[in-house]
Every structure is written in C-alpha cells, then in structure tokens.
Amino acid sequence: NAGVTQTPKFQVLKTGQSMTLQCAQDMNHEYMSWYRQDPGMGLRLIHYSVGAGITDQGEVPNGYNVSRSTTEDFPLRLLSAAPSQTSVYFCASSYSISTGDGYTFGSGTRLTVV
Amino acid sequence: GIQVEQSPPDLILQEGANSTLRCNFSDSVNNLQWFHQNPWGQLINLFYIPSGTKQNGRLSATTVATERYSLLYISSSQTTDSGVYFCAVVDRGSTLGRLYFGRGTQLTVWP
C-alpha cells in the first residue's frame, strides 16, 4: 500500500544508547521530514529534506542526525539517547516542496529513554 | 517563525452536536492544512485549504487568508470524531514547505 512506513513502532532505550528510526515512502515524494510530538504540544520539526542528498535542520535538531541517500528513505539517528528524547516521532512526506501540499504521515514511533 | 494558535484547547460534545474549531496564524501563509489525530495516534490529512471553503461530508473548513484565520466545522458529531485536531501552516516566505503546527484542539464526543 502506498504511504509512509515507520519502524519500529515502539522502542525503549537506555541513556547513552544510539539507534536509528526508519522511514520509507513509496510515493516518489521529494520532501520528507521528521517531527516529534510531546504531551500538550503540537508537532515540532526536527529535520527535513527537499530531495536526495539535501537535508537541513528544523526547530529542534539537537541530538539527532539525518541523511537522505535515496528518494524513498529518510532515517533519523539518535546518537546518544537522553531522557529528554522520550517522545513520539512522526515521519512525513509531501509532493509539493513550496506549499507542503499532500502531507502524509507515518504511524509514528513511540520512544522511551530510561 | 510563524505562530499558530488554536482554540478551544478542549471541547466535549454529545453525539449529534455541531462544533467550530478555530486556527489563528500570525503571518501570511502559502498553505494551511487541518489534520485529525485519532485516539490511536494516526495523523490524517483532512483539508488542504490556504483560502476559501471546502467540504467533505460532515466536515467543512473555511480559511480567510486576509484575516489570518481558519475554521473547521464538524456537524452532527460522532464518537469517531474524537481525537486531536491540528492546524498547520507554511508561511508565505518559505520555499521549503516547513509546516508550523498549533497545539491542537482535543475533541471528545460522548454517545
């Protein structure tokens, strides 16, 4: 089925561990992004990409790295997990870079850092 | 960045009631979208509505770009409408499609 696929759905990490959240889309969208959602907040942008090989920081990039080697995949790396990174992470893609039209979200990854 | 404010923060309705959710934004926008996050956490795109009015079944949305607000109407609400409704915008100066989200309206519909 067409859409945005995120894995894993749930993850528990110990402080200091590293991991990669996977995101893949099969809609040939150029624009992909990662958000985090914390209780009582909207979604805050971590990093985004406007095409393969091009990434940039969003509002809350510290502690996260991204790369975009293909149009389909946009993994998010936590280098050294901290309890403040406990959150729900959403990946999204869009076919319109200038307007963000057609935004499609993945089902999310719930991350707990202990 | 652009500021997005949603009201009310919480809304409790009985099934069958109508409701209006509001989104104010601080600057001109290229794009405004409404999303519904269901109780299982899934985010669904409801409307792409930078201006004008759109309707989809019991839901409709109006954006008055010159006055920097948008309204989401839910008529004859059902329990399945429960969840959080988010408004998100892309400011007019942006060429990168970065969405700024409001904090959402938590809607609870009781049978």
Side-chain angles (χ1 to χ4, degrees):
Chain A
N1 292 332
V4 178
T5 302
Q6 287 184 237
T7 56
K9 294 190 182 305
F10 301 94
Q11 183 71 48
V12 179
L13 288 179
K14 293 183 179 179
T15 297
Q17 286 185 317
S18 63
M19 79 160 295
T20 300
L21 307 185
Q22 302 291 345
C23 176
Q25 53 91 9
D26 57 3
M27 298 172 284
N28 202 33
H29 286 175
E30 290 295 329
Y31 185 83
M32 296 185 73
S33 52
W34 277 100
Y35 291 86
R36 61 177 289 172
Q37 184 179 25
D38 301 297
M41 308 286 287
L43 279 74
R44 292 183 293 169
L45 183 66
I46 305 172
H47 285 285
Y48 61 94
S49 169
V50 299
I54 307 171
T55 65
D56 206 346
Q57 298 180 351
E59 300 174 73
V60 289
N62 292 341
Y64 308 96
N65 275 358
V66 293
S67 60
R68 184 96 178 270
S69 57
T70 67
T71 300
E72 294 78 19
D73 300 301
F74 190 44
L76 178 71
R77 296 183 186 86
L78 281 71
L79 306 176
S80 178
S84 60
Q85 294 178 303
T86 293
S87 188
V88 181
Y89 292 84
F90 288 96
C91 178
S93 71
S94 168
Y95 60 76
S96 170
I97 289 176
S98 61
T99 68
D101 189 12
Y103 250 76
T104 302
F105 280 90
S107 57
T109 296
R110 186 175 295 274
L111 176 67
T112 302
V113 183
V114 297
Chain B
I2 194 168
Q3 303 300 311
V4 182
E5 295 183 359
Q6 292 186 242
S7 60
D10 297 279
L11 188 57
I12 300 174
L13 301 174
Q14 195 150 22
E15 211 167 21
N18 302 328
S19 60
T20 302
L21 283 59
R22 187 177 179 103
C23 172
N24 293 333
F25 42 95
S26 61
D27 209 340
S28 300
V29 298
N30 277 336
N31 175 357
L32 186 143
Q33 300 194 52
W34 285 96
F35 295 90
H36 175 220
Q37 187 171 37
N38 64 26
W40 296 270
Q42 181 66 41
L43 281 153
I44 306 298
N45 196 334
L46 296 176
F47 292 103
Y48 164 68
I49 185 164
S51 64
T53 298
K54 289 187 177 180
Q55 181 157 5
N56 184 2
R58 295 180 296 103
L59 273 61
S60 64
T62 295
T63 297
V64 183
T66 54
E67 298 187 20
R68 300 180 184 172
Y69 73 89
S70 182
L71 302 174
L72 178 69
Y73 305 97
I74 305 174
S75 64
S76 302
S77 58
Q78 300 176 358
T79 56
T80 51
D81 295 330
S82 296
V84 183
Y85 289 82
F86 289 106
C87 168
V89 303
V90 175
D91 69 67
R92 187 169 290 280
S94 170
T95 58
L96 298 173
R98 173 175 162 170
L99 277 181
Y100 291 90
F101 281 79
R103 294 194 175 196
T105 293
Q106 172 79 55
L107 174 65
T108 303
V109 181
W110 293 98

